[in-house]
Structure formats: structure tokens, C-alpha cells
Amino acid sequence: MKISDVKLTVVGVPRHTGFVNKHVIVEIMTDEGVTGIGEMSDFSHLPKYAVDVVDLENVLKSMLRGQNPFDLTLINNVLSENYPAVMYYYEKGSFIRNGIDAALHDLCAKYLHVSVAELLGGRYQEKIKVCYPIFRHRFVEEVEENLAVVRKRLQEGFDVFRLYVGKNVDADEAFLARVAEEFGSKVKIKSIDFSHLLDWKETLRIVKRLAKYDFEMIESPAVRNDFEGLRQFRLKVDHPVSEHVWDFRQQYEMIRHDSVDIFNISPIFIGGISAARKAAAAAEVAGKACLLGTTQELSIGTAAMAHLGSSLINLTYTSDPTGPKLYTDDIVKKPVQYEQGYLLVPDRGLPGLGMELDWERIERLRVPDLSWGNVSVHQLQDRTS
């Protein structure tokens, strides 16, 4: 079996906040009629430059045509040479590699008539506990809006939340106090996430202020790639510290400095399922726990993470992939399913990722390119309208 063609389709899908995220649907065709699908999720990130999708499609065709899709190591090596990691969280090359790698896994599993989880070595678990995000407060007036989000999602079965913090600490504290007062033990705050906005000393001052409230961990409390600062912060707090993995050199430095307790691993940021499995294995060797991170994918990207997570034995903390619940639409006929705050791994009887494209939806959501227009920086950071 050989790869015969590659097709990329750009869609713009609104979030419930009003912000429109752009994603690229990947289709990899073969000479035996099997097609794999993937997702280059959420290109609506800083840095503020766009990829030329027509050029990208032509380049990927030149790389992949004639290749055996089961040569995952070879193909990922070629992709890494052409779209290298650069020690940056939102590096667009990792988004590209992720979409291709997911489509290859989907293709190979379909050819073998197994699910991607079975291709990865089998299922350790059938569902993954996840949390719903509460986006960063800029104004105290937004506290009531976010409490309404908690009420709504709690009714849907989501009882764990993560809170983006650091822009308006008065509002952050007011929100945590109101959650404790209104919901008590019915609601859990998994993490307060600083998203690398502050240096570790300023983050430490804020954490001391918020420590009287109940939350499980602290995420991204130092500026990007400040491994020593991250270590100093970890030594001074009682909560476990989590950080995203976006580069193998970065993960090596965090292990070497003993900077974190938990690795936040997501295929989108490390460059695919193959790379995410390596990062999870490195964490396991280092004696560190994992959780699945997210950029808030659509159902294809979320299904890929569900299959990956089902095969990991050190996935011991609540994970983040609730993207399909943040959007007003999707691109597949049957989106991924959630039940009582768990992401369900697609059924074993469904080959590949278990997702089927819905072209009626896709045509409605299709956009011509990944251009930015007049979107402001704070809109990109906080996904606001």
C-alpha cells in the first residue's frame, strides 16, 4: 500500500465565546482505497503568522506520495526535518506534524481493521477523566459569567474545572471563593493555570494569596523555558506543578532540573501521537505522572487523544480534552462522547480513530485560508470575541 494523495481543508468553527478557531482537516489517500483522516487543530494561536495552506498541501504531497503509511518512524523523521521543533509552545510545525501523524495512525488502523488504541498496544482504560476550562478573568464583572458556566456544565456531568489565572487576581480570588461557597465538594478545581504569563516569583506571590482555596495543581507558573525558575517555584509550594511538553529538549531540561511533578502531554504541541508516546515514556522513566493537555481540538483531534490516553499507564491526573464541548459545531457525523465528566474512548468495533467526516457540516464551516484579519493579541490568548 502506498500513499497516493494528500488533501487539506480549512474550517472555521465558532466557540461558545464567539471566537472562531481555524483548523485544517487532513485526508491521506492510498492506492488501495483506504483514506486516513487527521486534524491540524487550532491554528488560531500566537505567534501571529499564518500558513499558506495551498503551498503546505503541495509540499506534503511531494513528501508523502509513494510512501508506505506504515513507515511511521521514517515519515515522522522527514516531517521533523522539514518542520522542526523550536522550543516554542505554539510552534506551527508541531501542529502540521500532529495532523499528518494522526491521519497515518487512522489509515494504518483502518487497513488492519482495528482501532488506533489497539495499534498503540491496547487499552489500559476505556474512559478518561477530564475537566472543563474556565477562561481568564480580565474584569471582576466576568466572575458571574464564569459561575454560570460552572452551573451549566455541572448539570451536564462535568464536576472538575481548571481555571486560567493571572490577569486579574481579585477576580480570580472572587471566583474561587464563590465556587467554594456555592458548590462545596460537588465541584473540584483541578488547577490554576498561569500560561507562562508571569515570572515565577510573581506567580509565587499570587499562589500564596490563593492557596487557602482548594485546587489540585499549579500549571505553567514560570515563563517559557525557564527551567531553573520552574524548579525554584516547585521547591517553594506545596501543590504539585505541571508543565506542557512542546519539545524533547525542553522535556529533558525539565527532567534534568527536576522542575515538575506532572508532564502535560498533548499531540498537538509535541507533534503527533508518535511523539506524545515518546514523551509519556520519558515521563514514566523519570518517575513523573502525566495528564493529557489540549488546545481544544474538534472531535478528530480529541479522538486521537482518547486513543492515546487509553494506552498510557502513567496517565494518573485529570486531563483537559473537552474541545468539542467548547464549539458550536463539529466536522464529523458522530462527535466524541462524554459521560459524567469522562471522555469515552471510541468503541473498539470502530476502525481507526472511529470518526467519519460530515461533508455537509464541513462545507458550511469551510473558509478559504488561515489568515488573521484584525484579531487582537488578547483575543488569541483568551479566545474571546
Side-chain angles (χ1 to χ4, degrees):
M1 180 171 59
K2 302 294 183 183
I3 295 172
S4 59
D5 205 0
V6 179
K7 180 182 176 183
L8 305 180
T9 304
V10 185
V11 292
V13 187
R15 292 191 179 197
H16 291 293
T17 61
F19 185 87
V20 177
N21 284 77
K22 293 185 176 180
H23 313 260
V24 178
I25 303 167
V26 179
E27 296 173 88
I28 299 180
M29 295 80 161
T30 65
D31 57 1
E32 296 196 21
V34 183
T35 297
I37 60 173
E39 179 184 304
M40 299 177 186
S41 311
D42 194 2
F43 269 90
S44 304
H45 270 299
L46 293 168
K48 198 172 182 180
Y49 61 81
V51 175
D52 183 323
V53 178
V54 174
D55 179 68
L56 176 61
E57 181 179 271
N58 288 331
V59 171
L60 290 171
K61 287 179 181 180
S62 70
M63 288 182 192
L64 298 177
R65 277 176 173 165
Q67 297 285 350
N68 182 337
F70 281 95
D71 288 338
L72 289 164
T73 301
L74 185 153
I75 293 173
N76 272 293
N77 187 57
V78 171
L79 290 170
S80 293
E81 289 175 350
N82 287 275
Y83 304 103
V86 294
M87 292 281 283
Y88 186 75
Y89 187 17
Y90 298 123
E91 202 282 308
K92 299 301 194 300
S94 65
F95 292 25
I96 294 167
R97 298 196 309 274
N98 174 59
I100 297 299
D101 189 56
L104 290 171
H105 277 82
D106 183 58
L107 196 165
C108 293
K110 284 176 177 174
Y111 186 80
L112 296 173
H113 303 289
V114 299
S115 74
V116 166
E118 274 63 58
L119 189 69
L120 296 176
R123 302 181 185 221
Y124 185 72
Q125 52 197 335
E126 295 287 348
K127 59 183 181 180
I128 298 164
K129 187 65 176 177
V130 293
C131 60
Y132 195 89
I134 301 297
F135 293 106
R136 214 175 314 274
H137 296 97
R138 293 162 297 161
F139 312 104
V140 173
E141 291 75 16
E142 293 174 316
V143 169
E144 191 56 49
E145 297 174 21
N146 281 332
L147 287 168
V149 173
V150 175
R151 294 184 194 106
K152 178 182 178 182
R153 298 304 178 179
L154 181 60
Q155 290 180 343
E156 297 173 1
F158 293 98
D159 58 352
V160 182
F161 297 82
R162 62 188 174 103
L163 176 64
Y164 288 93
V165 297
K167 280 193 175 179
N168 187 323
V169 184
D170 290 338
D172 297 335
E173 182 168 14
F175 175 81
L176 289 168
R178 290 284 302 279
V179 166
E181 176 186 347
E182 181 173 343
F183 302 102
S185 61
K186 291 187 293 185
V187 162
K188 179 179 178 181
I189 301 297
K190 185 203 80 170
S191 61
I192 54 173
D193 188 342
F194 288 87
S195 304
H196 320 106
L197 292 178
L198 306 171
D199 68 70
W200 72 268
K201 293 180 180 179
E202 178 61 22
T203 299
L204 184 62
R205 284 192 284 270
I206 295 172
V207 167
K208 288 179 178 179
R209 175 176 170 181
L210 300 180
K212 59 186 174 183
Y213 301 101
D214 188 19
F215 54 87
E216 187 176 11
M217 70 181 73
I218 304 161
E219 296 196 274
S220 304
V223 296
R224 282 186 295 268
N225 300 325
D226 180 9
F227 309 114
E228 180 57 27
L230 196 57
R231 175 178 175 273
Q232 290 296 329
F233 178 87
R234 179 175 177 248
L235 291 174
K236 292 173 174 61
V237 296
D238 295 325
H239 292 82
V241 174
S242 169
E243 183 56 280
H244 301 76
V245 179
W246 54 78
D247 189 295
F248 288 123
R249 177 55 188 267
Q250 175 236 7
Q251 186 181 25
Y252 164 77
E253 292 292 347
M254 288 191 288
I255 292 172
R256 188 168 74 91
H257 285 80
D258 201 16
S259 298
V260 300
D261 303 284
I262 307 157
F263 284 117
N264 183 317
I265 296 172
S266 176
I268 185 69
F269 294 128
I270 193 63
I273 294 172
S274 298
R277 291 183 73 200
K278 291 181 183 179
E284 186 179 355
V285 170
K288 303 293 184 181
C290 291
L291 64 86
L292 288 179
T294 184
T295 183
Q296 306 304 354
E297 295 79 356
L298 299 171
S299 276
I300 296 174
T302 305
M305 287 192 289
H307 285 281
L308 168 67
S310 75
S311 68
L312 301 179
I313 63 172
N314 58 335
L315 186 68
T316 51
Y317 283 87
T318 300
S319 292
D320 299 338
T322 50
K325 290 294 183 179
L326 272 68
Y327 293 102
T328 62
D329 212 334
D330 213 316
I331 55 174
V332 297
K333 292 184 177 179
K334 293 183 178 181
V336 294
Q337 297 297 305
Y338 295 89
E339 184 177 277
Q340 295 302 310
Y342 284 86
L343 169 62
L344 304 184
V345 183
D347 189 87
R348 291 173 181 265
L350 298 173
L353 293 172
M355 296 287 112
E356 182 181 357
L357 295 175
D358 185 331
W359 283 100
E360 182 178 338
R361 283 178 160 183
I362 292 168
E363 291 302 329
R364 185 173 67 247
L365 298 167
R366 186 193 290 262
V367 293
D369 54 41
L370 293 168
S371 61
W372 292 98
N374 62 351
V375 179
S376 68
V377 169
H378 90 261
Q379 286 176 290
L380 301 179
Q381 288 176 332
D382 296 333
R383 300 302 196 273
T384 56
S385 59

Coordinates of all heavy atoms in Angstrom, one line a residue, residues 3 23 61 88 122 133 149 191 194 206 233 242 270 341 354 381-382:
I3 N 0.9 5.7 -0.3 CA 0.2 7.0 -0.3 C 0.1 7.6 -1.7 O 1.1 7.7 -2.4 CB 0.8 8.0 0.7 CG1 0.8 7.4 2.1 CG2 0.2 9.3 0.6 CD1 1.6 8.2 3.1
H23 N -9.1 25.4 11.9 CA -8.5 24.1 11.9 C -8.3 23.6 10.5 O -9.0 24.0 9.6 CB -9.4 23.1 12.7 CG -9.9 23.6 14.0 ND1 -9.3 23.2 15.2 CD2 -10.9 24.4 14.3 CE1 -10.0 23.8 16.2 NE2 -11.0 24.5 15.6
K61 N 2.3 16.7 -0.3 CA 2.2 15.7 -1.4 C 3.5 15.3 -1.9 O 3.8 14.1 -2.1 CB 1.4 16.3 -2.5 CG -0.1 16.5 -2.3 CD -0.8 17.1 -3.5 CE -2.3 17.3 -3.2 NZ -3.0 17.9 -4.3
Y88 N 9.2 26.2 21.3 CA 8.2 27.2 21.5 C 6.8 26.5 21.6 O 6.6 25.6 20.8 CB 8.1 28.2 20.3 CG 7.2 29.3 20.5 CD1 7.5 30.4 21.4 CD2 6.0 29.4 19.8 CE1 6.6 31.4 21.6 CE2 5.0 30.4 20.1 CZ 5.3 31.4 21.0 OH 4.5 32.4 21.2
G122 N -3.0 -1.5 22.7 CA -4.1 -2.0 23.5 C -4.6 -1.0 24.5 O -3.9 0.0 24.8
P133 N -12.6 24.0 31.0 CA -11.8 25.2 31.3 C -12.7 26.4 31.6 O -13.8 26.6 31.0 CB -11.1 25.4 30.0 CG -12.1 24.8 28.9 CD -12.7 23.7 29.6
V149 N -21.1 29.4 33.8 CA -20.6 28.3 33.0 C -20.4 27.0 33.9 O -20.8 25.9 33.5 CB -19.2 28.6 32.5 CG1 -18.5 27.4 31.8 CG2 -19.3 29.8 31.4
S191 N -6.9 22.7 38.6 CA -5.6 23.5 38.5 C -5.9 25.0 38.4 O -7.0 25.4 37.9 CB -4.8 23.0 37.3 OG -5.5 23.2 36.1
F194 N -1.3 29.5 34.9 CA -0.8 30.8 34.6 C -0.3 31.0 33.2 O 0.0 32.1 32.8 CB 0.4 31.0 35.6 CG -0.1 31.3 37.0 CD1 -0.3 30.2 37.9 CD2 -0.3 32.5 37.5 CE1 -0.7 30.4 39.2 CE2 -0.8 32.7 38.8 CZ -0.9 31.7 39.7
I206 N 1.2 35.3 44.0 CA -0.2 35.0 43.8 C -0.7 33.7 44.3 O -1.8 33.6 44.9 CB -0.5 35.1 42.2 CG1 -0.2 36.5 41.7 CG2 -2.0 34.7 41.9 CD1 -0.3 36.6 40.2
F233 N 10.4 27.5 41.9 CA 9.0 27.6 42.2 C 8.5 26.3 42.9 O 7.8 26.3 43.9 CB 8.2 27.9 41.0 CG 6.7 28.0 41.2 CD1 6.1 29.2 41.6 CD2 5.9 26.9 41.1 CE1 4.7 29.3 41.9 CE2 4.5 27.0 41.3 CZ 3.9 28.2 41.7
S242 N 2.7 21.3 37.2 CA 2.5 20.7 35.9 C 3.0 21.7 34.8 O 2.9 22.9 35.0 CB 1.1 20.4 35.7 OG 0.8 20.0 34.3
I270 N 3.5 18.6 20.9 CA 4.7 17.8 20.7 C 4.9 17.3 19.3 O 5.9 16.8 18.9 CB 4.8 16.7 21.8 CG1 6.2 16.1 21.9 CG2 3.8 15.6 21.6 CD1 7.3 17.1 22.3
G341 N -18.5 13.5 33.1 CA -17.1 14.1 33.3 C -16.0 13.3 32.7 O -14.8 13.6 33.0
G354 N -12.2 6.1 14.7 CA -13.6 5.9 14.9 C -14.4 7.2 14.5 O -15.6 7.3 15.0
Q381 N -5.0 35.1 23.0 CA -4.6 34.5 24.3 C -5.8 33.9 25.0 O -5.7 32.8 25.6 CB -3.9 35.6 25.2 CG -2.6 36.0 24.7 CD -2.0 37.1 25.5 OE1 -2.7 37.9 26.1 NE2 -0.7 37.2 25.6
D382 N -6.9 34.6 25.0 CA -8.0 34.2 25.9 C -9.2 33.7 25.1 O -10.3 33.4 25.7 CB -8.4 35.4 26.8 CG -7.3 35.7 27.7 OD1 -6.5 34.8 28.1 OD2 -7.2 36.9 28.1

